[in-house]
Amino acid sequence: SIIQCEGSKMRFTVKEEKSVPEMRLIKFRVDTKNPAKTPHVMQNFWTCTHYASTGTVIRSTSAYESWVIIPQLYNVNLLLIGQLKAEGSFSEIAIMFTPVSSADQLELVARRPSGFDFTGAVTRTIGHEVISTAVERLSIRASIYAGVQVDIVVARFQLGSSGVTEFDLVTKLNNGVQMDELLEFRGGFRLPGRVRVSK
């Protein structure tokens, strides 16, 4: 049999010694890449068409609704920009990302290392506002537009223990509907330890 791929189409030309019997289940696996976001509801379907050996006469056809795609934030970076950088200090971070979808809020969760505390945190950038905190979790109101880089500075929070940092970033609408995400992001800053000097 021959398999041909072109764009979003795949064609199987069956050239087996014995023909495939009717009602026989045919299975195959495809390695593919998701689009940036879920296509329009009228286009988010897989279609399959069975042609006769001539390649022009349709024997049967069917369609199956595809899965929902969660868009991924890109160009993400988190920088430790406060003057105090040692573990346990009160400091500032800069959050940068480019969204695929427009949104109204950013939720940031410090997964690693332990000890982050966003209680009392504030934003330093115009048009952004901290709307809720829960120790290692922070929600910020911000006007987020698809394809436009977002830069947010968060201050007056406590850093965690030393080590490689890991964050979850999720954007949402005001009604709580999730739009984009980037989970377990480890490409930001490494949190320094603290040196204690005694006499």
Side-chain angles (χ1 to χ4, degrees):
S1 297
I2 301 172
I3 302 175
Q4 297 172 300
C5 298
E6 182 178 350
S8 60
K9 294 182 179 181
M10 177 179 292
R11 177 185 291 269
F12 294 82
T13 303
V14 180
K15 291 184 175 295
E16 304 299 321
E17 294 182 0
K18 296 182 179 179
S19 59
V20 179
E22 61 179 311
M23 304 303 294
R24 172 67 59 84
L25 179 63
I26 300 175
K27 293 183 178 181
F28 59 90
R29 187 178 70 180
V30 178
D31 292 327
T32 184
K33 182 179 179 181
N34 283 336
K37 59 182 179 180
T38 305
H40 186 275
V41 64
M42 298 297 292
Q43 299 177 326
N44 194 32
F45 283 85
W46 293 87
T47 59
C48 181
T49 304
H50 173 209
Y51 291 93
S53 57
T54 59
T56 55
V57 178
I58 295 177
R59 291 284 182 86
S60 60
T61 185
S62 184
Y64 189 83
E65 186 175 3
S66 188
W67 51 83
V68 175
I69 297 168
I70 300 176
Q72 300 293 290
L73 299 170
Y74 61 101
N75 295 335
V76 176
N77 203 356
L78 277 84
L79 302 177
L80 181 58
I81 61 173
Q83 291 186 343
L84 301 178
K85 293 179 168 57
E87 61 177 352
S89 299
F90 283 83
S91 194
E92 300 182 12
I93 57 171
I95 307 167
M96 294 160 281
F97 62 89
T98 303
V100 173
S101 314
S102 297
D104 305 307
Q105 299 176 16
L106 169 68
E107 184 178 89
L108 178 72
V109 180
R111 295 172 56 89
R112 296 180 184 175
S114 62
F116 275 90
D117 189 350
F118 289 110
T119 304
V122 298
T123 57
R124 298 289 195 203
T125 39
I126 297 174
H128 304 143
E129 177 188 5
V130 174
I131 53 178
S132 68
T133 60
V135 190
E136 75 284 351
R137 187 179 301 269
L138 173 72
S139 293
I140 300 170
R141 180 179 289 113
S143 296
I144 299 171
Y145 300 101
V148 179
Q149 180 173 316
V150 177
D151 299 281
I152 301 174
V153 174
V154 179
R156 283 170 41 186
F157 70 93
Q158 189 171 20
L159 298 170
S161 305
S162 63
V164 176
T165 54
E166 180 179 307
F167 293 90
D168 290 346
L169 297 92
V170 178
T171 61
K172 298 180 179 181
L173 298 178
N174 282 329
N175 61 8
V177 174
Q178 179 176 326
M179 301 307 290
D180 301 351
E181 70 176 21
L182 184 62
L183 305 181
E184 301 179 1
F185 174 69
R186 301 177 184 175
F189 58 91
R190 181 182 179 88
L191 194 55
R194 180 182 293 274
V195 176
R196 292 178 174 83
V197 179
S198 60
K199 294 182 180 180

